[in-house]
Amino acid sequence: MLSFKTCEKAPAQGGRVYGGGLVEVEGRVVWGRGYRGVYMYEEDRWSRVADGGEVAGTLAVCGGRLVWVGGWKGGVGSKKVKELRGGRWSAMPDMLVWCWWSCVVSVSGGGMVVMGGEGDGGRWLNDVQVFDGGTQTWHRGPSLPKPCSAMSAVVHGDVVFVMGGYGMDRAVWCADIRDLQSVWREVPDVPNTLSSVCVVDGVLLAIGGTDQDGSRNTSSIYGLHLDGKKWRHIGDLPFACSMVDTLLLSGGGLLMVDGDTQQVLKITVQGLAKLFPIIPILKVFDKSQREAESQKEADERRLYEEAMTKGYVETSVTKCLILGAAGVGKTHLKHLLLKKDPPQQRVSTGLADNPVRAISFSLAGVGGQEEDDWFVIEDDQALLKVVGGTIRDGGVSMATSLDKVVGSFPKMAIHVSSDGAGALHPDPTPTAVSVTTDTSHQSRTVSIEKELIHHINHSSGKEKLFGVKWIQFIDSGGQLQYHDILPLFVQNPGVAIFVLNLSEKLSHQPAIEYYGADGKPVGKAYQSSLSHQQILQHCLGAMCSQDVHPLIITVGTHRDAADRCSESIKEKNQQLMKLLAADRFCVLCNGEELTEAIFPVNGKTPGVEDRHVATVLRQKIVSMCPKLIKMPIAWFGLEVLLQRSSHGGILSLVECQVCAKSLHLEGDAFLAALHHLVHHNMFLHYPEALPQTVFCDPQVVLTKVTELVEYHHKLRDCPDKGVAAERGLAKFRDHGLLSVELLNKFSKHYTEGLFTPHDLLKLLVSVGAIAKIGEGGVYLMPGLLPHLDSGQVSKYYQQGASLVITPTQGCIPSGLFCCLVAHLLSPSNQSSWKVCMKRDKPLCLYRNCITFQLKHKTELVTLVDMFSYILLHINKMSSQVCREIRCCVHSGIKSACGILKYQGVQFEDAFMCAGASCTLDPPHVATVVSEKKWICSIVGDQSGDLSECQLMWFGESGVRRQDPSASDPVSLDSEPSLPHLLDKVAAVIPSKYELIGLQLRLSLAELQVIGPRHPTLEEHHRAFGEIFGVWRRHGSPPYTWRTLINVLRSPSVGEVLLSDELTFWITHK
């Protein structure tokens, strides 16, 4: 039945890692071996015919010509397709998705189909890209059932078969080549993995491969009749092999090339008819069966249409952001929570990962107990499967009209520019962006529609959308540069998980390391300028300032090494509970005693105890999810449709509108759907900077920032590498200065007409990440600047003459100082000042300290981020300059808060406390309270006169207070000032601080932290001051004299006489 002839060995070394393929063109056999060359096999001899293409590309035939598809070069994937003409490679239209190790088959009409492969970060792909030889264009085909690469494929009649790739295991798939929008169907599993496929005499053959546990190659050959349900062993090769190249020769027989050993066999196959006597075409594609199923498909189509136009599900979405220093184990924790194996190699997370979504369920466990379960949505196929199953099982509720459902959602605000570029036109014709044709959109829409209908018919399992809660886990980068930039892109989490290393103290400043996608270090490690606790405080301040109140979870990794740290877990818990209680966050405690904040785990090598902790955390996260809301089912289909229709993750707004129209989402329904996707970070859209561009893959933007941080980190390690040849690299390395020329180095994700380096600059300027300096096209990225040690900061300012701008609560929120600097350097402000440069080197430019020079003047303005406040210093002080600069900085803080969506941040002017008897540590500020007086913000009875230098900040005429509450009250609804509260209330009833605090809605835990440390009048005044400060920050109950008078009249306080005196004092002033 089988006979073998050994031929001359193939000429190249190296196996499949170099890509290639075995094809026949014009009766000649050609084999490609990556960049090592393309060889022809003729008369049992190999001869070189051309150089090879990119590494890991695929050799194929398209339109009767040899083509080289994809590959990678310099660590970056390629969309390039080249055809061989006259011994040289010439360009063809680029693919839609860059990939390598893909599988390619030829189709009639001079076309080809590219399936799977590997993409960004070695991620397997399920994309199917179809090249139309007639129009010379690419479009999407039906996605593979799951991501895979390096598969083997063959076309028999009108059917394409795929098997043997990484990620496929023993699966075999097939699809009708006549209808490239059809769905993939499954063929019985092949006995071995990594087998190669071919068809001989109508019999599907699986050649070689590895055994089921992947431990060794096999020599087996199996056959499956196209009408059969079982594979049958029909013979063995002379040697074991896997992932070989096979070709059915036009003259008869098979040719097989093993790329690993270069062995070549000619295989003659006879007598298959005796084993497989009936040879009809694949029954599943039989025309008669198609007609028999047509009615069922029509019913499913009606169900689909009804669900898309009227259907909604009740669900909720929660964003869970994972934060912490670099290397503490955030990614390992995410894998543990998702019930996935820990990653095998260390790779630094970029600015932020795309959300990984999990649907929560509750299943009946052993003994009737409930146990949690997750279904993780890892790709669009899984999402469509869930949507299809929901529709099939009646989980979609039908509304007479979705207008009421959509009306409860906010809409995406589309900003219309003067030329109308941001407008949504009824006629989908772009203003400034080229749009693909409607035919292209129609083909993609049909693909989604047919796939959904298929899943309505075939979906199985428990995973449905109705009544479930979505949790979107976002893993963030731990490098300090990312902490300053992250709030610009990822906001409003419902849950925040802070990860700490239990083997280190909270005051420890961790080493900052960076690992590339290959798991190797990038640059050298350096010490963080912030401790674990300070990073936590920064992040807490950011979330508190956004007026969101997420559930705070603290997880300690490296549980097995906790005893090596001199600071015990109990001591860490005490510090964290005090910190978290002071900021009034909803904290998940570990245990019923509410004294422990840390959940200790081992993320890298989790055991039973660690998995139990993960189960508890999952259950708590689900329990804190918001209530279920009605959401149109079509929104899930729109997400997949836009992602598949995008050009490398990017679409124009008009293209999104065209796609949405196919799902009956128009007008407000479309804008509400787009707002939902952007709000939950599934998509990104920046209407003010790029009104026509929608990022359907957020990593397009996040990766650009990650590339800059990683490249900057690498240059720190090799300071002279490439700098001599390119002067701009020195500016980028030392001072965070970049330009269009530098951004051109990072070509990944750019799309002509939609997203270019100029567009990236506009986007980063609009979000406050960079600022233009001067007129030379140079931009500053403050987040990349080095951090100045606290001991070196003092040389840039004089403490007595510096103005302190302090938030009324906590420390400076993360990212605010960098965003402030970017605002102050924006062109609208550069008429006043510039970064002081001396021979192209800034005088003082650090992430926490920056010096400006006033234009046409000699004054130098220095801003310093002191973590809990901002210092503003001018070296040559005058009343007019001080007043102008002070107002400009306040305006910049307000603008930065707006960009970062910080709603609850208020700043006030102050000076460093100079009280002789004030020994509180750390140094704190004194608030300006009257024309020439200051009062200590901690010890209320300590005050003094403002110096002449301090008075200059407010002008020669005296203090200009921004806070009107320091003035005398004009009515009972006025806001009280701290001096008045201390003088009129605290000094009269010093012992009733706790009763008043409870009436002002402070918790007992907060009052215990605030309470007097010693039984002195000063301590009671301090406690009153902090209570009034908390009341003012939260504004609930209303921060007015009327509220305080009602509190004093309450039965628990019982100070009716004092309340009457205050009422008379306010109303008769």
Side-chain angles (χ1 to χ4, degrees):
M1 181 180 294
L2 298 174
S3 60
F4 307 96
K5 176 185 176 182
T6 302
C7 306
E8 178 184 319
K9 278 193 172 185
Q13 300 289 325
R16 286 190 70 93
V17 69
Y18 299 113
L22 185 64
V23 298
E24 188 172 23
V25 58
E26 297 179 354
R28 298 176 178 177
V29 175
V30 181
W31 189 53
R33 283 291 86 187
Y35 59 81
R36 297 177 181 269
V38 176
Y39 299 86
M40 182 180 297
Y41 184 71
E42 198 170 22
E43 296 180 355
D44 293 335
R45 296 287 181 184
W46 293 96
S47 60
R48 186 185 179 97
V49 295
D51 293 334
E54 277 80 5
V55 176
T58 305
L59 182 69
V61 176
C62 181
R65 294 184 179 276
L66 289 174
V67 295
W68 195 269
V69 181
W72 62 274
K73 187 175 183 179
V76 178
S78 173
K79 296 181 181 178
K80 301 296 183 185
V81 181
K82 305 174 183 178
E83 70 174 324
L84 190 62
R85 289 179 176 269
R88 293 174 176 261
W89 296 103
S90 57
M92 291 178 64
D94 286 356
M95 293 183 289
L96 304 175
V97 178
W98 59 272
C99 57
W100 67 85
W101 274 13
S102 55
C103 179
V104 185
V105 295
S106 302
V107 295
S108 59
M112 60 181 166
V113 181
V114 180
M115 298 166 284
E118 291 195 14
D120 189 9
R123 176 173 53 92
W124 295 334
L125 305 174
N126 64 348
D127 298 272
V128 174
Q129 307 176 72
V130 182
F131 181 72
D132 188 323
T135 63
Q136 294 289 296
T137 58
W138 290 90
H139 63 272
R140 298 262 187 178
S143 296
L144 297 169
K146 64 178 183 177
C148 51
S149 71
M151 308 89 73
S152 175
V154 65
V155 176
H156 175 69
D158 296 318
V159 182
V160 59
F161 294 90
V162 181
M163 72 164 67
Y166 293 120
M168 286 190 67
D169 297 322
R170 298 186 299 119
V172 184
W173 306 321
C174 61
D176 191 340
I177 209 75
R178 297 167 300 180
D179 180 11
L180 284 172
Q181 300 308 320
S182 68
V183 296
W184 291 89
R185 300 177 185 267
E186 295 181 355
V187 176
D189 287 355
V190 70
N192 297 319
T193 63
L194 302 181
S195 298
S196 299
V197 64
C198 62
V199 177
V200 178
D201 295 336
V203 177
L204 195 65
L205 298 183
I207 300 177
T210 62
D211 55 16
Q212 294 187 21
D213 61 6
S215 61
R216 61 186 181 86
N217 290 343
T218 69
S219 59
S220 303
I221 300 178
Y222 288 89
L224 174 74
H225 190 275
L226 297 188
D227 191 31
K229 297 182 179 179
K230 273 190 171 182
W231 290 86
R232 181 171 180 177
H233 183 261
I234 62 174
D236 293 287
L237 296 166
F239 53 86
C241 57
S242 65
M243 301 182 71
V244 296
D245 292 318
T246 60
L247 176 66
L248 181 63
L249 301 172
S250 57
L254 285 172
L255 186 69
M256 187 196 84
V257 180
D258 182 0
D260 290 326
T261 63
Q262 292 78 54
Q263 295 187 76
V264 180
L265 286 179
K266 271 190 177 179
I267 307 173
T268 302
V269 184
Q270 296 177 336
L272 289 182
K274 295 179 180 180
L275 293 174
F276 307 96
I278 305 173
I279 316 177
I281 64 173
L282 190 63
K283 196 170 187 178
V284 73
F285 294 108
D286 191 280
K287 183 178 180 180
S288 61
Q289 184 170 340
R290 286 174 177 267
E291 294 174 353
E293 294 179 349
S294 60
Q295 183 59 46
K296 184 178 180 181
E297 291 180 359
D299 294 339
E300 292 164 353
R301 186 176 299 278
R302 281 194 297 271
L303 188 60
Y304 161 82
E305 288 289 342
E306 187 178 22
M308 291 298 108
T309 54
K310 300 179 182 180
Y312 66 88
V313 293
E314 292 192 355
T315 184
S316 69
V317 183
T318 299
K319 190 187 302 181
C320 181
L321 184 59
I322 305 176
L323 301 159
V328 295
K330 298 184 296 296
T331 303
H332 283 89
L333 174 64
K334 182 182 74 172
H335 281 241
L336 180 62
L337 290 173
L338 293 173
K339 294 187 174 181
K340 299 173 64 176
D341 293 332
Q344 296 302 308
Q345 64 180 17
R346 182 172 179 182
V347 176
S348 292
T349 305
L351 177 61
D353 273 352
N354 268 341
V356 176
R357 293 180 292 176
I359 306 177
S360 65
F361 297 93
S362 185
L363 300 178
V366 179
Q369 297 296 318
E370 295 290 316
E371 61 180 38
D372 75 307
D373 195 15
W374 294 90
F375 177 64
V376 180
I377 304 293
E378 304 217 49
D379 53 47
D380 53 10
Q381 280 286 332
L383 180 57
L384 290 180
K385 181 179 179 181
V386 171
V387 173
T390 305
I391 296 173
R392 186 199 62 189
D393 288 354
V396 179
S397 302
M398 298 299 171
T400 55
S401 172
L402 285 178
D403 290 343
K404 291 185 178 180
V405 176
V406 173
S408 62
F409 286 88
K411 313 297 186 293
M412 173 62 70
I414 303 300
H415 295 258
V416 183
S417 60
S418 57
D419 60 355
L424 282 175
H425 308 286
D427 180 18
T429 304
T431 306
V433 180
S434 63
V435 179
T436 55
T437 64
D438 287 350
T439 303
S440 174
H441 282 295
Q442 183 64 25
S443 65
R444 295 169 188 155
T445 303
V446 172
S447 172
I448 298 294
E449 180 179 327
K450 288 194 172 183
E451 281 185 80
L452 264 178
I453 291 175
H454 169 76
H455 289 303
I456 292 173
N457 184 27
H458 295 91
S459 181
S460 62
K462 62 184 180 297
E463 300 85 9
K464 306 293 181 293
L465 284 176
F466 49 89
V468 301
K469 298 178 180 180
W470 293 78
I471 295 92
Q472 299 183 174
F473 290 92
I474 303 178
D475 187 11
S476 64
Q479 285 72 19
L480 288 183
Q481 298 95 321
Y482 294 142
H483 283 282
D484 286 321
I485 301 172
L486 183 67
L488 298 170
F489 297 96
V490 181
Q491 298 172 335
N492 303 317
V495 178
I497 301 179
F498 293 100
V499 186
L500 307 168
N501 187 341
L502 294 179
S503 67
E504 298 172 345
K505 299 175 68 173
L506 290 179
S507 59
H508 176 73
Q509 296 173 314
I512 301 298
E513 298 175 290
Y514 204 103
Y515 288 82
D518 56 1
K520 296 180 179 178
V522 176
K524 292 182 180 179
Y526 61 94
Q527 191 174 32
S528 168
S529 56
L530 297 179
S531 67
H532 289 292
Q533 181 169 333
Q534 288 176 322
I535 293 173
L536 170 60
Q537 286 180 277
H538 254 311
C539 296
L540 286 174
M543 286 179 289
C544 184
S545 303
Q546 288 173 353
D547 201 23
V548 296
H549 302 282
L551 172 66
I552 304 298
I553 301 175
T554 308
V555 176
T557 59
H558 302 77
R559 175 175 58 85
D560 53 351
D563 55 355
R564 302 176 193 169
C565 180
S566 59
E567 182 180 72
S568 68
I569 295 180
K570 182 178 179 180
E571 291 171 325
K572 289 184 174 71
N573 273 315
Q574 290 173 344
Q575 296 180 57
L576 289 174
M577 290 301 294
K578 183 177 180 179
L579 174 65
L580 295 171
D583 285 320
R584 295 172 63 102
F585 281 102
C586 178
V587 181
L588 178 63
C589 294
N590 184 7
E592 297 181 358
E593 296 183 1
L594 306 182
T595 59
E596 297 182 10
I598 299 174
F599 289 82
V601 298
N602 283 328
K604 192 172 184 179
T605 56
V608 175
E609 183 179 347
D610 305 303
R611 300 188 193 281
H612 172 71
V613 171
T615 299
V616 171
L617 291 177
R618 284 192 294 268
Q619 293 172 341
K620 293 296 184 180
I621 291 173
V622 172
S623 68
M624 294 297 294
C625 288
K627 66 179 182 179
L628 302 178
I629 57 174
K630 297 176 181 179
M631 186 180 300
I633 193 74
W635 288 11
F636 297 97
L638 179 64
E639 177 189 337
V640 176
L641 181 58
L642 294 183
Q643 289 174 342
R644 292 191 178 181
S645 302
S646 65
H647 320 282
I650 306 173
L651 277 178
S652 73
L653 190 62
V654 177
E655 289 175 308
C656 293
Q657 186 189 19
V658 174
C659 291
K661 189 175 181 180
S662 67
L663 294 176
H664 310 286
L665 295 172
E666 301 182 71
D668 285 349
F670 164 64
L671 296 178
L674 191 59
H675 182 276
H676 168 77
L677 293 170
V678 171
H679 179 73
H680 293 289
N681 283 102
M682 303 310 300
F683 289 4
L684 294 178
H685 181 230
Y686 301 93
E688 294 190 4
L690 303 174
Q692 277 284 3
T693 304
V694 176
F695 297 95
C696 304
D697 181 1
Q699 287 303 123
V700 172
V701 176
L702 302 180
T703 298
K704 303 314 296 182
V705 179
T706 300
E707 287 176 328
L708 290 171
V709 174
E710 183 176 344
Y711 190 53
H712 187 265
H713 192 94
K714 186 185 298 184
L715 287 177
R716 287 173 60 123
D717 183 34
C718 305
D720 299 323
K721 186 177 181 180
V723 173
E726 298 186 51
R727 190 160 164 260
L729 288 183
K731 295 182 178 180
F732 176 69
R733 177 197 64 204
D734 298 333
H735 313 302
L737 302 179
L738 50 90
S739 62
V740 171
E741 290 72 25
L742 179 69
L743 294 181
N744 277 321
K745 287 179 171 291
F746 310 105
S747 58
K748 187 190 299 184
H749 297 317
Y750 290 136
T751 301
E752 188 64 34
L754 283 177
F755 188 51
T756 65
H758 289 282
D759 293 326
L760 177 60
L761 287 175
K762 289 169 59 178
L763 190 157
L764 294 178
V765 168
S766 72
V767 300
I770 66 172
K772 186 177 181 180
I773 298 182
E775 304 298 329
V778 178
Y779 294 79
L780 169 68
M781 193 168 187
L784 292 179
L785 296 173
H787 198 278
L788 195 64
D789 292 338
S790 57
Q792 297 177 300
V793 170
S794 59
K795 70 179 182 181
Y796 290 101
Y797 68 92
Q798 297 174 13
Q799 182 170 316
S802 299
L803 180 70
V804 175
I805 303 176
T806 177
T808 56
Q809 173 182 338
C811 61
I812 304 295
S814 59
L816 189 138
F817 187 78
C818 289
C819 197
L820 166 63
V821 171
H823 170 81
L824 295 177
L825 288 174
S826 64
S828 60
N829 289 317
Q830 286 183 17
S831 59
S832 302
W833 49 31
K834 62 182 179 179
V835 173
C836 184
M837 307 284 284
K838 185 177 181 181
R839 294 183 181 178
D840 294 333
K841 181 178 180 180
L843 177 66
C844 175
L845 200 58
Y846 297 92
R847 194 185 311 148
N848 62 329
C849 184
I850 186 168
T851 296
F852 307 96
Q853 182 176 14
L854 296 181
K855 284 191 174 181
H856 314 300
K857 297 181 181 179
T858 58
E859 287 91 341
L860 295 178
V861 180
T862 303
L863 273 177
V864 186
D865 179 7
M866 299 295 288
F867 182 73
S868 59
Y869 52 86
I870 294 174
L871 280 179
L872 173 59
H873 176 74
I874 302 176
N875 67 331
K876 297 179 181 179
M877 300 184 66
S878 67
S879 297
Q880 181 179 0
V881 171
C882 287
R883 187 168 62 252
E884 290 176 356
I885 298 303
R886 169 177 161 269
C887 292
C888 188
V889 172
H890 270 289
S891 174
I893 291 175
K894 184 177 180 181
S895 174
C897 288
I899 291 172
L900 291 158
K901 295 184 174 60
Y902 287 170
Q903 317 246 344
V905 184
Q906 295 182 1
F907 285 82
E908 58 186 13
D909 297 316
F911 297 104
M912 296 301 295
C913 184
S917 62
C918 191
T919 59
L920 295 176
D921 188 51
H924 53 287
V925 296
T927 306
V928 178
V929 295
S930 64
E931 186 145 324
K932 293 186 178 182
K933 294 285 185 179
W934 60 265
I935 186 171
C936 178
S937 60
I938 304 297
V939 182
D941 62 348
Q942 189 149 265
S943 61
D945 295 330
L946 296 176
S947 67
E948 182 178 352
C949 289
Q950 291 171 336
L951 284 171
M952 287 186 185
W953 288 105
F954 304 97
E956 295 174 356
S957 60
V959 178
R960 288 183 57 195
R961 293 182 298 272
Q962 287 191 334
D963 186 0
S965 65
S967 62
D968 289 339
V970 296
S971 72
L972 292 176
D973 294 317
S974 300
E975 291 189 355
S977 68
L978 179 62
H980 286 150
L981 289 172
L982 295 176
D983 181 49
K984 301 292 184 181
V985 180
V988 178
I989 49 172
S991 63
K992 291 193 175 183
Y993 73 92
E994 190 173 72
L995 296 174
I996 291 177
L998 289 172
Q999 289 295 312
L1000 293 175
R1001 302 180 187 174
L1002 276 73
S1003 66
L1004 283 173
E1006 290 175 308
L1007 291 172
Q1008 288 174 357
V1009 174
I1010 292 174
R1013 300 180 181 88
H1014 309 287
T1016 62
L1017 185 62
E1018 289 79 6
E1019 273 293 287
H1020 281 84
H1021 279 196
R1022 181 197 58 76
F1024 257 114
E1026 292 196 25
I1027 289 171
F1028 290 141
V1030 172
W1031 174 34
R1032 178 183 180 181
R1033 288 195 296 271
H1034 293 283
S1036 178
Y1039 186 71
T1040 65
W1041 281 107
R1042 187 183 302 277
T1043 299
L1044 183 59
I1045 288 171
N1046 290 335
V1047 167
L1048 293 173
R1049 288 180 177 274
S1050 66
S1052 60
V1053 178
E1055 293 290 341
V1056 178
L1057 181 60
L1058 178 59
S1059 69
D1060 291 340
E1061 292 176 353
L1062 286 176
T1063 302
F1064 181 84
W1065 172 68
I1066 294 169
T1067 56
H1068 289 77
K1069 288 189 71 65

